[in-house]
Amino acid sequence: MSDDRPTPRLPDLDHAPYLRAALDLAREGQAAGSSPVGAVLVNHEGQIIARGRNRVGEAQTPEHVGNASVAHAEMDLYFQVGKLEDPHTLTLYTSLEPCLMCGGASALLGVGRIVWATDDPWGGSGRLIRWTDHPAMQDTQVVPTPEAHLEREGALLFAPEAKRAFPEEGWQLWRTRYPRETAPADQTDVERT
């Protein structure tokens, strides 16, 4: 039996407002004591239908997964929204390139497009497997860092967390990818000595 409903396609969207919303949520996460990562889910009409932010450093509530390693911004968003209707018509916007868990979950849920503000050269899924090579990502459009000024903003926001949380190898990858944006975090260490 075929479904005669028209399939909405992914709209051409101005990515900037949605990436700004994700960056605002990242700041909320940071202010609450979690990592500065935020995400929004947008439908084919351009409406934000769900918002999430990192909650690893926060208590779990009935509304939000928290106090767990899986309490990433994207997972917070997916737990809130529940079952996705027509996921292939949805766009996930994140402040930071999703990790393998969040990227894999997005693909397995069938999200049509993923857009992120800032690359994560250490923790991003793309470091472990190219997005286009991931078997589950074949039907997902991936749009990394489409707005240079927002990419820089996200890198400045996350760099102190990358320096704190990642091993030296990870921090070196961040310093190579974002030398100007990581300099303030390195300068903070110099000022302390």
Side-chain angles (χ1 to χ4, degrees):
M1 184 172 168
S2 69
D3 188 348
D4 293 331
R5 292 180 299 166
T7 302
R9 65 177 191 82
L10 288 169
D12 293 327
L13 297 172
D14 176 6
H15 300 305
Y18 305 110
L19 291 171
R20 279 189 202 99
L23 287 164
D24 288 344
L25 287 161
R27 285 184 197 83
E28 283 182 26
Q30 184 179 49
S34 290
S35 295
V37 183
V40 297
L41 193 61
V42 177
N43 69 15
H44 70 279
E45 296 172 345
Q47 299 167 326
I48 294 176
I49 61 169
R51 299 170 191 270
R53 62 175 175 77
N54 188 290
R55 294 176 186 276
V56 172
E58 301 171 47
Q60 185 157 329
T61 68
E63 297 82 25
H64 298 284
V65 62
N67 197 29
S69 299
V70 297
H72 290 192
E74 299 88 343
M75 301 307 285
D76 178 44
L77 179 148
Y78 290 138
F79 279 113
Q80 288 178 62
V81 78
K83 183 164 175 44
L84 297 176
E85 297 295 326
D86 298 320
H88 63 282
T89 67
L90 303 175
T91 300
L92 173 70
Y93 286 93
T94 67
S95 61
L96 187 69
E97 178 183 1
C99 70
L100 191 57
M101 173 182 68
C102 296
S106 299
L108 292 171
L109 291 170
V111 172
R113 178 171 45 205
I114 300 173
V115 184
W116 61 82
T118 304
D119 290 335
D120 184 351
W122 173 254
S125 185
R127 181 177 82 85
L128 304 171
I129 181 172
R130 285 189 320 197
W131 284 89
T132 55
D133 290 346
H134 192 295
M137 296 297 289
Q138 300 309 304
D139 294 326
T140 303
Q141 180 186 6
V142 176
V143 183
T145 65
E147 303 282 337
H149 66 290
L150 295 177
E151 177 182 11
R152 183 169 196 278
E153 185 178 328
L156 284 166
L157 181 63
F158 194 80
E161 177 70 10
K163 182 170 179 57
R164 182 195 67 74
F166 294 159
E168 185 59 29
E169 176 187 0
W171 180 237
Q172 289 306 318
L173 288 172
W174 263 81
R175 290 175 72 200
T176 299
R177 175 67 177 93
Y178 293 111
R180 289 186 322 157
E181 293 81 359
T182 56
D186 279 335
Q187 185 62 35
T188 302
D189 287 346
V190 171
E191 291 170 359
R192 287 184 191 151
T193 59

